[in-house]
Amino acid sequence: MNKVLMKGNEALAEGAILAGCRGFFGYPITPSSEIAEYMARKLPKIGGIFVQAESELAAINMVYGGASTGTRVMTASSGPGLSLKQEGISFISEAELPCLIVNISRGGPGLGGIQPSQGDYFQATRGGGHGDYHTMVLAPASTQEMMDFAILGYELADRYRIPVVIMAEGTLGNLMEPVIVRDEVTNFVEKPWAISGCQGRKPNIVNTLHLTAEELEGRNRHLFSKYEDIQMNEKRAETFMVEDADIVVVAFGLLARVIKRSVIDARKHGVKAGLIRPMTLWPFPDEHIKAVTDTCKVILSMEISMGQMIQDIRLAAEGRVPVEFYGRIGFLPNPEELTREILAVAERKGL
Amino acid sequence: MATVFKRPESLTDAKFHYCPGCTHGIIHRLVAECLDEMNIREKAVGICPVGCSVLAYEYFNCDMLEAAHGRAPAIATAIKRLKPDCFLFTYQGDGDLASIGMGEIVHASARGEKISVFFINNTLYGMTGGQMAPTTLLGQVATTCPYGRKVENEGYPVKMAELLAGNEGSAYISRVAVNSPANVVKAKKAIKKAFETQAKGLGFSMVEILSTCPTNWGLNPVDAMKWMEDNMIPYYPLGEFKVKEGK
Ligand SMILES: Cc1ncc(C[n+]2csc(CCOP(=O)(O)OP(=O)(O)O)c2C)c(N)n1
Ligand code: SF4
Ligand SMILES: [Mg+2]
């Protein structure tokens, strides 16, 4: 087993390459730039293409073009860059082109800061650009998952012809940990829809314009039947000590890993805590939440934002248990602070 | 009986939706004839803009992609880099290329992307109903400069061919018009030269094509041709602005 010490951003980039990514198009922004730098070093040596675009608008449209050739391509950015990419993500979603879009998240709104954040949750899980659509959103919690989710991301993107977003806090991009380097992906799906010149076949057209109401409604219905399949098959979450838990914390990303410590510490203080960590933010693993509403007394959403995922948790809990919130902005809270908060909620609820 | 005139293979059988007297149709045909004559239809990938020619993917009989407004050069960049044997062309209006897509076109040219751009300058936004474009002439009336374009308010019309010719990455830049049979013949030569520039791998190529919009100019087709000659050509001189020769 090949274990290597890697930064999260590098592990993600290497995972993408192992998955067959041969085109990267990006514009520098902290804390995501290391992905672009890694790709700039590696891709030209393995027959891939790296282009530093003039803007995130151009970068995502290069991804649109690149993905239309059937090549596994990607871009990576953060906050303000993701905002600019939304136009392209809407087009790519409607054109049903597979690609990987990475958000190494920083705080906002506006220029915000370069500290870790989960404040782009709504943007990522609600589509983000104009029109009715979703992207799949994966939330890794370790350097290993940065690599593994890049590989998984391409597999899902190709299977469902959908852009896959990987969203990780800036801290995770910079976190150095030992990573088991995975094998190179060798089986790829056929892409008869790809554009590369029409030799020996009828021309292929990649298009997002549908001028009649019937056609447009048909397209939207088609997309949403695909989204139903995804919701049926692809919800993923990790659960930790939830079976007997009175208080279930829901958190994603690196934050969720920190909270594991707090869950254990809370139990030492006599409070039966547990954790659900959504690994897919869209589709949201609502069944995992629903499953604990018969046994727990309260759910606590912890986020590095003012509270966004809590809305999905409340929808999943259907009012059966109260859902509380604790959030901080601009940094990853330490386990002691999070334990204190779990204990405080337990006390308020008389647990 | 010998066939002396036929539809190019690079055009589909679909009927153009363009207004009577609009020269988009002439330009489509010229591009298609060049694809046929160079025998590159099966390697061609065309990128449509947002504008009156947004439906060009229904007319060109080759692989086609419909872009977001102004982004065609970025899309073409990626496809050409990943599929270098393909012939990439973008077909863009003046709002698309010279306004919202100014960043994408300037950088595609600066990088010397081996793509061919056909830039249809009709001095306004045709599709959305005749609003001002960066190319609207001084004094010209458009729906968003109803008293005529004034320097104090809207500045000067942009000369894209001259601007892009200044980029080292540009290998072939010219401006043509389609207002007379002689000029149509010259326009076709320029379009072919752009594709040849791409075939030789010399760099970025663009042909700016002065085109009519009788509907939004409020002129009949014949007067529109005359208006182009009297007003556009003096401000947008025809000719080659950059010609990089191959080794
Ligand atoms: C982002 C965005 N902004 C605005 C529009 C609306 N729009 C559609 S076509 C067009 C102008 C097209 O003009 P031009 O490029 O000159 O092409 P023409 O119709 O004259 O051939 C505009 C502004 C759009 N579709 N997308
Ligand atoms: S509106 Fe103008 S540019 Fe558009 S099709 Fe009609 S004449 Fe041509
Ligand atoms: Mg125009």
Side-chain angles (χ1 to χ4, degrees):
Chain A
M1 213 161 16
N2 187 9
K3 245 185 178 184
V4 180
L5 199 61
M6 279 183 136
K7 269 190 178 183
N9 281 336
E10 293 171 353
L12 188 148
E14 186 57 34
I17 288 175
L18 290 170
C21 173
R22 291 298 178 270
F24 184 97
F25 310 93
Y27 187 87
I29 184 167
T30 306
S32 78
S33 300
E34 282 154 344
I35 298 177
E37 288 163 355
Y38 192 90
M39 290 309 215
R41 287 195 300 274
K42 290 276 170 109
L43 279 178
K45 293 189 175 167
I46 54 170
I49 296 299
F50 173 88
V51 181
Q52 177 166 327
E54 59 271 27
S55 70
E56 287 86 352
L57 271 172
I60 193 68
N61 279 284
M62 289 175 186
V63 168
Y64 182 22
S68 78
T69 68
T71 313
R72 285 189 164 177
V73 296
M74 71 180 287
T75 187
S77 189
S78 191
L82 260 296
S83 292
L84 282 180
K85 287 187 200 293
Q86 295 306 322
E87 174 195 72
I89 297 173
S90 171
F91 277 72
I92 294 168
S93 298
E94 163 47 27
E96 296 191 274
L97 299 177
C99 64
L100 198 61
I101 297 157
V102 179
N103 181 357
I104 304 299
S105 314
R106 57 189 258 174
L111 205 48
I114 56 170
Q115 300 89 348
S117 172
Q118 298 179 334
D120 297 342
Y121 180 92
F122 280 154
Q123 186 197 56
T125 57
R126 267 64 181 165
H130 58 286
D132 258 345
Y133 73 94
H134 285 286
T135 58
M136 287 192 73
V137 186
L138 307 179
S142 65
T143 308
Q144 184 69 60
E145 280 188 352
M146 291 289 262
M147 175 173 286
D148 293 353
F149 283 13
I151 297 169
L152 173 68
Y154 274 118
E155 192 189 314
L156 294 169
D158 275 358
R159 185 182 312 152
Y160 294 103
R161 293 188 56 182
I162 192 170
V164 171
V165 174
I166 294 185
M167 197 161 96
E169 306 100 318
T171 324
L172 186 49
N174 282 298
L175 186 70
M176 226 172 190
E177 293 185 289
V179 173
I180 300 167
V181 178
R182 305 297 182 190
D183 291 338
E184 213 172 317
V185 175
T186 49
N187 53 329
F188 300 102
V189 299
E190 292 287 316
K191 295 178 178 172
W193 45 262
I195 280 187
S196 56
C198 64
Q199 199 139 29
R201 59 162 168 77
K202 281 199 175 133
N204 281 340
I205 294 172
V206 173
N207 171 41
T208 67
L209 179 69
H210 309 287
L211 287 170
T212 67
E214 294 78 19
E215 189 181 315
L216 186 62
E217 184 172 79
R219 283 298 305 165
N220 275 264
R221 288 195 188 285
H222 164 73
L223 286 179
F224 273 74
S225 74
K226 176 169 90 175
Y227 298 155
E228 250 173 54
D229 288 347
I230 293 173
Q231 283 177 304
M232 195 94 82
N233 302 322
E234 305 300 345
K235 291 172 185 167
R236 287 170 171 79
E238 180 193 354
T239 53
F240 180 68
M241 303 183 122
V242 292
E243 291 73 20
D244 64 339
D246 290 325
I247 174 166
V248 171
V249 181
V250 184
F252 69 92
L254 192 55
L255 176 67
R257 239 172 109 195
V258 177
I259 292 172
K260 265 192 191 170
R261 253 278 308 275
S262 307
V263 163
I264 294 167
D265 289 349
R267 284 185 177 251
K268 284 183 191 149
H269 286 86
V271 170
K272 282 195 220 155
L275 171 72
I276 297 176
R277 173 173 77 90
M279 299 154 91
T280 53
L281 301 183
W282 200 92
F284 187 72
D286 47 3
E287 275 120 38
H288 293 77
I289 309 284
K290 216 168 279 168
V292 299
T293 54
D294 289 335
T295 49
C296 78
K297 311 262 168 36
V298 60
I299 292 175
L300 171 59
S301 180
M302 288 184 148
E303 306 178 49
I304 311 177
S305 74
M306 295 307 289
Q308 300 188 14
M309 183 175 63
I310 185 171
Q311 294 195 2
D312 285 332
I313 300 170
R314 284 197 169 130
L315 282 171
E318 290 177 334
R320 278 186 264 194
V321 289
V323 183
E324 304 268 315
F325 175 72
Y326 185 70
R328 296 299 307 262
I329 300 291
F331 69 102
L332 199 66
N334 63 38
E336 291 75 26
E337 176 182 342
L338 297 164
T339 309
R340 267 200 309 279
E341 189 55 30
I342 294 171
L343 295 178
V345 171
E347 193 175 316
R348 277 208 301 279
K349 296 286 164 192
L351 302 178
Chain B
M1 202 165 43
T3 308
V4 290
F5 192 79
K6 67 175 174 59
R7 208 177 176 80
E9 203 192 345
S10 296
L11 285 181
T12 65
D13 291 335
K15 275 201 184 116
F16 292 157
H17 69 281
Y18 300 110
C19 306
C22 174
T23 47
H24 266 303
I26 296 177
I27 301 164
H28 280 19
R29 183 173 174 105
L30 296 181
V31 173
E33 284 179 358
C34 290
L35 293 174
D36 277 14
E37 286 164 25
M38 292 178 69
N39 200 20
I40 54 175
R41 181 185 73 86
E42 292 186 326
K43 290 181 175 177
V45 177
I47 317 291
C48 326
V50 176
C52 278
S53 46
V54 66
L55 292 170
Y57 58 81
E58 291 190 354
Y59 307 143
F60 285 103
N61 187 21
C62 60
D63 276 7
M64 296 293 292
L65 182 148
E66 191 268 304
H69 199 17
R71 317 288 174 231
I75 292 166
T77 292
I79 299 178
K80 182 69 182 183
R81 296 272 190 126
L82 290 163
K83 300 282 172 194
D85 292 338
C86 286
F87 279 81
L88 263 293
F89 72 92
T90 74
Y91 187 103
Q92 302 178 257
D94 41 0
D96 194 83
L97 180 143
S99 191
I100 197 167
M102 185 60 116
E104 284 76 11
I105 194 68
V106 168
H107 284 279
S109 145
R111 289 191 302 264
E113 298 297 343
K114 298 173 188 78
I115 63 174
S116 301
V117 173
F118 305 120
F119 167 42
I120 286 62
N121 179 353
N122 58 9
T123 74
L124 42 66
Y125 290 9
M127 187 192 210
T128 41
Q131 295 83 8
M132 190 191 71
T135 45
T136 300
L137 295 170
L138 290 178
Q140 188 183 342
V141 169
T143 60
T144 49
C145 53
Y147 308 111
R149 181 173 183 162
K150 290 188 194 69
V151 168
E152 307 82 77
N153 224 22
E154 291 93 11
Y156 295 92
V158 174
K159 297 182 173 182
M160 284 311 299
E162 287 84 342
L163 192 110
L164 295 182
N167 273 344
E168 210 52 57
S170 290
Y172 180 70
I173 305 285
S174 68
R175 185 184 290 117
V176 297
V178 286
N179 62 319
S180 67
N183 275 345
V184 168
V185 171
K186 283 187 197 158
K188 181 170 167 185
K189 278 196 181 131
I191 290 169
K192 199 174 258 179
K193 219 160 161 178
F195 279 130
E196 283 163 359
T197 301
Q198 185 175 165
K200 290 180 195 151
L202 296 176
F204 176 86
S205 51
M206 183 195 75
V207 183
E208 175 172 340
I209 303 157
L210 303 185
S211 186
T212 60
C213 180
T215 300
N216 288 300
W217 292 355
L219 298 172
N220 68 41
V222 176
D223 290 346
M225 294 294 193
K226 177 100 175 62
W227 191 88
M228 183 202 290
E229 195 176 320
D230 293 346
N231 298 280
M232 288 179 75
I233 296 176
Y235 187 81
Y236 296 116
L238 307 183
E240 295 183 326
F241 295 84
K242 180 83 169 273
V243 184
K244 228 181 233 178
E245 297 296 346
K247 281 144 246 162

